[in-house]
Amino acid sequence: QVQLVESGGGSVQAGGSLRLSCAASRRPYSREVFGWFRQAPGKEREFVAMIRARGGSEFYADSVKGRFTISRDNPKNTVYLQMNSLKAEDTAVYYCAVAERYESDYRAYDYWGQGTQVTVAS
């Protein structure tokens, strides 16, 4: 079991940047994977990015590749999502999650944070 708390969401103009944080309640296990997902009104939850909990194997959705960067700070048990060149279509609630294996399907993730709203104004 692990608790996850997201922070860093807010409102920003198109082209701007935000840095989301996901703080975990314990040190991640080596097998675990952190993922970022988002859900916009009327749309299904979609994968954004993932990273192995202890680093490496970063992977991104095509829609954010080149603009978003996922990283982690192991001493703080925290994973980040740096979002640059934000677009209106990035507007969504962003969720941090943990899975037991490396995959991008949200249904495979066992633990979820409460989400943080990101609004990009055009």
Short mmCIF file of all heavy atoms in Angstrom, two decimals, residues 29-59:
data_model
loop_
_atom_site.label_atom_id
_atom_site.label_comp_id
_atom_site.label_asym_id
_atom_site.label_seq_id
_atom_site.Cartn_x
_atom_site.Cartn_y
_atom_site.Cartn_z
N TYR A 29 9.26 0.37 -4.26
CA TYR A 29 9.95 -0.88 -4.49
C TYR A 29 10.55 -0.88 -5.89
O TYR A 29 10.06 -0.19 -6.79
CB TYR A 29 8.99 -2.05 -4.34
CG TYR A 29 8.29 -2.12 -3.01
CD1 TYR A 29 6.92 -2.39 -2.94
CD2 TYR A 29 8.97 -1.91 -1.82
CE1 TYR A 29 6.27 -2.45 -1.72
CE2 TYR A 29 8.33 -1.96 -0.60
CZ TYR A 29 6.97 -2.23 -0.55
OH TYR A 29 6.33 -2.29 0.66
N SER A 30 11.59 -1.66 -6.07
CA SER A 30 12.31 -1.65 -7.34
C SER A 30 11.43 -2.05 -8.52
O SER A 30 11.65 -1.57 -9.63
CB SER A 30 13.53 -2.57 -7.25
OG SER A 30 13.14 -3.91 -6.99
N ARG A 31 10.46 -2.90 -8.30
CA ARG A 31 9.60 -3.38 -9.39
C ARG A 31 8.51 -2.38 -9.78
O ARG A 31 7.89 -2.55 -10.82
CB ARG A 31 8.95 -4.70 -9.01
CG ARG A 31 7.92 -4.58 -7.89
CD ARG A 31 7.32 -5.93 -7.55
NE ARG A 31 6.31 -5.82 -6.51
CZ ARG A 31 6.58 -5.82 -5.21
NH1 ARG A 31 7.83 -5.92 -4.78
NH2 ARG A 31 5.58 -5.72 -4.33
N GLU A 32 8.27 -1.38 -8.95
CA GLU A 32 7.13 -0.49 -9.17
C GLU A 32 7.41 0.55 -10.24
O GLU A 32 8.55 0.88 -10.55
CB GLU A 32 6.73 0.17 -7.86
CG GLU A 32 6.12 -0.81 -6.88
CD GLU A 32 5.69 -0.18 -5.57
OE1 GLU A 32 6.38 0.76 -5.10
OE2 GLU A 32 4.67 -0.63 -5.00
N VAL A 33 6.32 1.04 -10.79
CA VAL A 33 6.36 2.03 -11.86
C VAL A 33 5.44 3.19 -11.48
O VAL A 33 4.32 2.98 -11.03
CB VAL A 33 5.90 1.42 -13.20
CG1 VAL A 33 5.79 2.49 -14.27
CG2 VAL A 33 6.86 0.32 -13.63
N PHE A 34 5.92 4.40 -11.67
CA PHE A 34 5.09 5.59 -11.51
C PHE A 34 4.57 6.03 -12.85
O PHE A 34 5.32 6.11 -13.82
CB PHE A 34 5.89 6.74 -10.89
CG PHE A 34 6.01 6.68 -9.40
CD1 PHE A 34 7.10 6.06 -8.81
CD2 PHE A 34 5.05 7.25 -8.59
CE1 PHE A 34 7.23 6.02 -7.43
CE2 PHE A 34 5.17 7.21 -7.21
CZ PHE A 34 6.26 6.60 -6.63
N GLY A 35 3.30 6.35 -12.90
CA GLY A 35 2.70 6.85 -14.12
C GLY A 35 1.93 8.13 -13.87
O GLY A 35 1.42 8.36 -12.77
N TRP A 36 1.88 8.97 -14.88
CA TRP A 36 1.01 10.13 -14.90
C TRP A 36 -0.08 9.90 -15.93
O TRP A 36 0.21 9.49 -17.07
CB TRP A 36 1.78 11.41 -15.23
CG TRP A 36 2.61 11.95 -14.12
CD1 TRP A 36 3.95 11.81 -13.93
CD2 TRP A 36 2.14 12.76 -13.03
NE1 TRP A 36 4.35 12.46 -12.80
CE2 TRP A 36 3.26 13.06 -12.22
CE3 TRP A 36 0.89 13.26 -12.65
CZ2 TRP A 36 3.17 13.84 -11.06
CZ3 TRP A 36 0.80 14.02 -11.51
CH2 TRP A 36 1.92 14.31 -10.72
N PHE A 37 -1.30 10.19 -15.53
CA PHE A 37 -2.46 10.07 -16.40
C PHE A 37 -3.25 11.36 -16.33
O PHE A 37 -3.08 12.15 -15.40
CB PHE A 37 -3.33 8.89 -15.99
CG PHE A 37 -2.66 7.56 -16.12
CD1 PHE A 37 -1.79 7.10 -15.15
CD2 PHE A 37 -2.88 6.76 -17.24
CE1 PHE A 37 -1.15 5.88 -15.27
CE2 PHE A 37 -2.26 5.53 -17.37
CZ PHE A 37 -1.39 5.10 -16.38
N ARG A 38 -4.13 11.56 -17.28
CA ARG A 38 -4.98 12.74 -17.25
C ARG A 38 -6.37 12.40 -17.78
O ARG A 38 -6.54 11.46 -18.56
CB ARG A 38 -4.38 13.89 -18.05
CG ARG A 38 -4.28 13.65 -19.55
CD ARG A 38 -3.51 14.78 -20.21
NE ARG A 38 -3.43 14.63 -21.65
CZ ARG A 38 -2.71 15.41 -22.43
NH1 ARG A 38 -2.00 16.42 -21.93
NH2 ARG A 38 -2.70 15.19 -23.75
N GLN A 39 -7.33 13.18 -17.35
CA GLN A 39 -8.70 12.97 -17.79
C GLN A 39 -9.38 14.32 -17.97
O GLN A 39 -9.48 15.10 -17.03
CB GLN A 39 -9.48 12.11 -16.80
CG GLN A 39 -10.84 11.69 -17.31
CD GLN A 39 -11.44 10.56 -16.50
OE1 GLN A 39 -11.04 10.32 -15.36
NE2 GLN A 39 -12.40 9.86 -17.07
N ALA A 40 -9.81 14.58 -19.19
CA ALA A 40 -10.53 15.79 -19.51
C ALA A 40 -12.03 15.51 -19.49
O ALA A 40 -12.45 14.35 -19.64
CB ALA A 40 -10.11 16.31 -20.88
N PRO A 41 -12.86 16.53 -19.32
CA PRO A 41 -14.31 16.32 -19.29
C PRO A 41 -14.80 15.60 -20.54
O PRO A 41 -14.46 15.98 -21.66
CB PRO A 41 -14.86 17.74 -19.22
CG PRO A 41 -13.79 18.52 -18.54
CD PRO A 41 -12.50 17.94 -19.07
N GLY A 42 -15.59 14.56 -20.33
CA GLY A 42 -16.16 13.82 -21.44
C GLY A 42 -15.22 12.85 -22.12
O GLY A 42 -15.60 12.21 -23.10
N LYS A 43 -14.00 12.72 -21.62
CA LYS A 43 -13.03 11.84 -22.22
C LYS A 43 -12.57 10.77 -21.23
O LYS A 43 -12.68 10.95 -20.02
CB LYS A 43 -11.81 12.62 -22.71
CG LYS A 43 -12.11 13.61 -23.82
CD LYS A 43 -10.85 14.28 -24.31
CE LYS A 43 -11.13 15.24 -25.44
NZ LYS A 43 -9.89 15.91 -25.93
N GLU A 44 -12.07 9.68 -21.78
CA GLU A 44 -11.55 8.61 -20.95
C GLU A 44 -10.17 8.98 -20.42
O GLU A 44 -9.45 9.78 -21.01
CB GLU A 44 -11.49 7.32 -21.76
CG GLU A 44 -11.29 6.07 -20.91
CD GLU A 44 -11.54 4.80 -21.69
OE1 GLU A 44 -11.21 4.77 -22.89
OE2 GLU A 44 -12.06 3.84 -21.11
N ARG A 45 -9.82 8.39 -19.31
CA ARG A 45 -8.50 8.63 -18.74
C ARG A 45 -7.43 8.15 -19.72
O ARG A 45 -7.52 7.06 -20.28
CB ARG A 45 -8.38 7.89 -17.41
CG ARG A 45 -7.13 8.22 -16.62
CD ARG A 45 -7.29 7.79 -15.17
NE ARG A 45 -8.41 8.47 -14.53
CZ ARG A 45 -8.69 8.39 -13.24
NH1 ARG A 45 -7.92 7.67 -12.43
NH2 ARG A 45 -9.73 9.03 -12.75
N GLU A 46 -6.41 8.97 -19.91
CA GLU A 46 -5.37 8.63 -20.86
C GLU A 46 -3.99 8.69 -20.23
O GLU A 46 -3.72 9.48 -19.33
CB GLU A 46 -5.42 9.54 -22.09
CG GLU A 46 -5.10 10.99 -21.83
CD GLU A 46 -4.99 11.81 -23.10
OE1 GLU A 46 -4.69 11.24 -24.17
OE2 GLU A 46 -5.22 13.03 -23.02
N PHE A 47 -3.13 7.87 -20.75
CA PHE A 47 -1.76 7.81 -20.31
C PHE A 47 -0.99 9.04 -20.76
O PHE A 47 -1.18 9.54 -21.87
CB PHE A 47 -1.10 6.55 -20.89
CG PHE A 47 0.39 6.52 -20.75
CD1 PHE A 47 0.98 6.21 -19.54
CD2 PHE A 47 1.20 6.81 -21.84
CE1 PHE A 47 2.36 6.19 -19.41
CE2 PHE A 47 2.57 6.79 -21.72
CZ PHE A 47 3.15 6.47 -20.50
N VAL A 48 -0.11 9.52 -19.88
CA VAL A 48 0.73 10.67 -20.20
C VAL A 48 2.21 10.29 -20.21
O VAL A 48 2.91 10.52 -21.19
CB VAL A 48 0.49 11.82 -19.20
CG1 VAL A 48 1.46 12.97 -19.47
CG2 VAL A 48 -0.94 12.31 -19.28
N ALA A 49 2.68 9.72 -19.11
CA ALA A 49 4.10 9.39 -18.99
C ALA A 49 4.30 8.38 -17.87
O ALA A 49 3.49 8.28 -16.96
CB ALA A 49 4.94 10.65 -18.71
N MET A 50 5.40 7.65 -17.92
CA MET A 50 5.74 6.74 -16.84
C MET A 50 7.24 6.59 -16.70
O MET A 50 8.01 6.89 -17.62
CB MET A 50 5.08 5.37 -17.03
CG MET A 50 5.53 4.61 -18.25
SD MET A 50 4.61 3.03 -18.38
CE MET A 50 5.29 2.39 -19.91
N ILE A 51 7.63 6.14 -15.53
CA ILE A 51 9.04 5.94 -15.21
C ILE A 51 9.15 4.84 -14.17
O ILE A 51 8.26 4.69 -13.32
CB ILE A 51 9.68 7.26 -14.69
CG1 ILE A 51 11.19 7.13 -14.55
CG2 ILE A 51 9.03 7.67 -13.37
CD1 ILE A 51 11.88 8.47 -14.23
N ARG A 52 10.21 4.07 -14.23
CA ARG A 52 10.43 3.09 -13.18
C ARG A 52 10.68 3.84 -11.88
O ARG A 52 11.35 4.86 -11.85
CB ARG A 52 11.61 2.18 -13.53
CG ARG A 52 11.32 1.28 -14.71
CD ARG A 52 12.35 0.17 -14.85
NE ARG A 52 12.05 -0.67 -16.00
CZ ARG A 52 11.19 -1.68 -15.99
NH1 ARG A 52 10.53 -1.99 -14.88
NH2 ARG A 52 10.97 -2.39 -17.08
N ALA A 53 10.14 3.31 -10.80
CA ALA A 53 10.13 4.02 -9.52
C ALA A 53 11.52 4.39 -9.04
O ALA A 53 11.70 5.40 -8.36
CB ALA A 53 9.41 3.19 -8.46
N ARG A 54 12.51 3.59 -9.39
CA ARG A 54 13.89 3.88 -8.99
C ARG A 54 14.72 4.41 -10.15
O ARG A 54 15.94 4.41 -10.10
CB ARG A 54 14.52 2.66 -8.34
CG ARG A 54 13.81 2.29 -7.05
CD ARG A 54 14.53 1.21 -6.29
NE ARG A 54 13.80 0.86 -5.08
CZ ARG A 54 14.16 -0.09 -4.23
NH1 ARG A 54 15.26 -0.80 -4.46
NH2 ARG A 54 13.43 -0.34 -3.16
N GLY A 55 14.02 4.87 -11.19
CA GLY A 55 14.67 5.55 -12.29
C GLY A 55 14.76 4.74 -13.56
O GLY A 55 14.85 3.52 -13.54
N GLY A 56 14.72 5.44 -14.68
CA GLY A 56 14.93 4.82 -15.97
C GLY A 56 13.65 4.46 -16.70
O GLY A 56 12.56 4.52 -16.16
N SER A 57 13.82 4.10 -17.97
CA SER A 57 12.74 3.62 -18.83
C SER A 57 11.60 4.63 -18.96
O SER A 57 10.43 4.26 -18.94
CB SER A 57 12.21 2.28 -18.34
OG SER A 57 13.24 1.30 -18.35
N GLU A 58 11.94 5.89 -19.11
CA GLU A 58 10.91 6.91 -19.30
C GLU A 58 10.19 6.68 -20.62
O GLU A 58 10.81 6.38 -21.65
CB GLU A 58 11.53 8.31 -19.29
CG GLU A 58 12.18 8.68 -17.97
CD GLU A 58 13.67 8.39 -17.93
OE1 GLU A 58 14.15 7.59 -18.77
OE2 GLU A 58 14.36 8.95 -17.06
N PHE A 59 8.88 6.85 -20.58
CA PHE A 59 8.07 6.64 -21.77
C PHE A 59 6.93 7.65 -21.76
O PHE A 59 6.35 7.93 -20.72
CB PHE A 59 7.51 5.21 -21.79
CG PHE A 59 6.68 4.90 -23.00
CD1 PHE A 59 7.26 4.79 -24.24
CD2 PHE A 59 5.31 4.71 -22.89
CE1 PHE A 59 6.51 4.49 -25.37
CE2 PHE A 59 4.54 4.41 -24.00
CZ PHE A 59 5.14 4.31 -25.24
#
